[in-house]
Amino acid sequence: MKVAVVKESAPGERRVALVPETVPKLTQAGLEVLVEQGAGDGAWFPDSAYSEAGASIVKTDDLYAEADVILTVTRPDETQVGRLRAGQTLFGTLSPLTDPALAATLAGKRVTAVSLDGLPRTLSRAQSMDALTSQANVAGYKAALIAATAYGRFFPLLITAAGTARPAKLLVLGTGVAGLQAIGTARRLGAQVSGYDVRPASKGEVQSLGATFIELTSVSNGAGEGGYARELTDEERQAQQAELSAHIARHDVVITTAQVPGRRPPLLVTSGAVKAMAAGSVIVDMGASPLGGNVAGSVPGETVVTENGVTIIGAQNLPSSVPTAASNAYSRNISALLLTMVADGALTIDLTDEIQAGVVVAHDGQVVHPAVAKLLNPQPKGAGDVDRPGN
Ligand code: NAD
């Protein structure tokens, strides 16, 4: 079976789905590895490193003609989708819950689609395949570095002959995988760090990193299903924003990471909260998206300085800005998943397997993932139905 690594097509994307170090793992399992010319360049893996590891470097046309399985980091562009043919399998982070149309297109072409973001993350045998976690770790690390670079003062306490600098006060809102990594990195840089999350379970994790956990009285338990947060009601959201504003004003740097699966990111830092911050403060919004982010006024991919001197950075695709580390981790994730689905050198699709039921989105001409299929064919609402997260 031929497994091919494509050159990523998204603008500015520097990661690659498979790094040379992982090639032998696949060849030892009886797979042949093809790499599109220049696929690893953005992450500093030259074609020669892939050849030395046992892969064949191929031209784009040959790759699509020969491959049985194609590995990508993010969704393929229209040209790449157009090149796929029936019987091929695409592995990548395809975001089918936000882009179900791609799943439908792939099913229509009789391409099998496997998306790493559908992995059941709490399953212990799936840990090594968890690309959402590995990439969120990279993003959280980089967010702290970006904040430190944009901030006009030091993060650590510095006592010098030219005076004493007090440590920066940094607040992380949303302390899942990325938030905890941002806390750890900011602490290593010497900042005084606090964290807040709507899931009470994260309190112990924040404290174990030596940071202070902020508890709000206005919102109680915001935990939802599967370890994720639930969407707050309008009243809860307003009360949370109001209570958070006072905490935000006391900090020099704020990093926001809050997400709710399948929903637009919650607004945590209102324009009023931004106005109450001191000149020179920095906010990094990791939730920034075209739909709006965690911070009022943040623009994805841009840095905005407000009238009162607050720098708001709309962080976008941070893993791609640490391309070698992010690719190394992703490569381990995608190869571990691929190898669990290979038996005797061939791909075996088994939707009764808990991991495969989560990641296989399209197969045999059908969108087989129930949540994605439901998005494509919503059932008419019955009289007693109400809208709620997960519906
Ligand atoms: P995520 O990216 O979905 O969201 C980031 C954080 O934002 C979460 O901690 C969430 O609680 C928080 N958030 C959402 N709405 C908020 C609001 N209104 N106010 C404040 N915070 C808000 O989360 P994630 O990093 O993917 O992690 C989600 C959960 O999955 C965590 O419990 C994590 O520990 C768990 N997880 C478990 C495993 C495992 O068991 N191996 C692996 C990965 C993640």
Side-chain angles (χ1 to χ4, degrees):
M1 188 170 80
K2 292 183 180 175
V3 177
V5 184
V6 295
K7 190 167 170 62
E8 293 297 311
S9 58
E13 180 58 67
R14 296 187 53 182
R15 290 170 291 172
V16 61
L18 198 79
V19 303
E21 187 189 275
T22 322
V23 170
K25 279 193 190 152
L26 302 192
T27 51
Q28 279 155 21
L31 309 178
E32 201 178 318
V33 180
L34 312 178
V35 176
E36 186 173 351
Q37 270 178 348
D41 286 355
W44 309 111
F45 297 112
D47 287 349
S48 58
Y50 285 99
S51 303
E52 282 160 26
S56 309
I57 307 301
V58 294
K59 295 202 172 95
T60 310
D61 286 345
D62 297 335
L63 179 137
Y64 287 94
E66 290 181 32
D68 300 299
V69 171
I70 291 176
L71 308 182
T72 72
V73 179
T74 60
R75 78 186 297 293
D77 67 13
E78 269 180 38
T79 314
Q80 289 174 315
V81 171
R83 287 173 179 270
L84 295 170
R85 53 183 172 76
Q88 286 180 322
T89 300
L90 179 70
F91 276 69
T93 307
L94 307 176
S95 310
L97 291 176
T98 47
D99 185 10
L102 174 65
T105 304
L106 295 171
K109 291 178 72 95
R110 301 194 73 81
V111 169
T112 297
V114 179
S115 189
L116 275 76
D117 45 3
L119 195 80
R121 299 170 78 191
T122 48
L123 209 63
S124 65
R125 72 186 168 97
Q127 306 291 296
S128 61
M129 308 165 199
D130 189 348
L132 286 182
T133 291
S134 74
Q135 303 305 293
N137 260 322
V138 177
Y141 162 81
K142 189 62 187 274
L145 298 188
I146 287 174
T149 307
Y151 186 49
R153 298 168 187 256
F154 294 115
F155 266 23
L157 165 74
L158 281 189
I159 302 169
T160 73
T164 298
R166 67 164 175 83
K169 288 188 185 138
L170 184 143
L171 173 62
V172 175
L173 299 176
T175 50
V177 178
L180 291 174
Q181 188 57 251
I183 288 176
T185 307
R187 289 262 307 146
R188 285 192 285 274
L189 289 171
Q192 226 172 59
V193 184
S194 304
Y196 163 72
D197 199 289
V198 78
R199 289 179 299 107
S202 68
K203 177 178 177 180
E205 293 166 336
V206 169
Q207 289 174 333
S208 74
L209 292 172
T212 306
F213 189 77
I214 291 178
E215 280 177 84
L216 301 189
T217 52
S218 57
V219 189
S220 53
N221 192 343
E225 282 173 19
Y228 290 102
R230 64 177 169 84
E231 192 174 38
L232 301 184
T233 63
D234 285 345
E235 294 76 43
E236 285 175 320
R237 199 166 22 240
Q238 280 165 19
Q240 184 192 48
Q241 289 167 354
E243 200 177 350
L244 273 179
S245 293
H247 290 284
I248 291 164
R250 285 196 285 273
H251 287 85
D252 307 301
V253 178
V254 176
I255 297 174
T256 67
T257 79
Q259 301 279 353
V260 178
R263 305 279 165 196
R264 53 174 285 186
L267 182 73
L268 302 181
V269 183
T270 61
S271 54
V274 174
K275 282 198 183 102
M277 292 182 88
S281 302
V282 172
I283 308 177
V284 177
D285 182 3
M286 289 178 62
S289 77
L291 295 173
N294 295 146
V295 182
S298 74
V299 182
E302 285 184 30
T303 297
V304 176
V305 181
T306 64
E307 271 179 21
N308 62 318
V310 177
T311 301
I312 304 176
I313 300 168
Q316 234 190 356
N317 198 1
L318 294 182
S320 171
S321 68
V322 195
T324 314
S327 302
N328 277 333
Y330 189 86
S331 178
R332 283 180 214 124
N333 301 143
I334 202 166
S335 58
L337 176 62
L338 172 64
L339 289 175
T340 60
M341 295 172 66
V342 169
D344 299 326
L347 198 66
T348 48
I349 301 293
D350 172 10
L351 295 176
T352 63
D353 173 74
E354 209 175 347
I355 290 178
Q356 291 206 33
V359 296
V360 180
V361 177
H363 183 55
D364 264 347
Q366 303 288 327
V367 172
V368 292
H369 193 286
V372 182
K374 198 169 170 185
L375 286 173
L376 290 162
N377 292 307
Q379 296 298 313
K381 278 199 178 114
D385 287 354
V386 287
D387 259 330
R388 59 176 166 259
N391 264 8

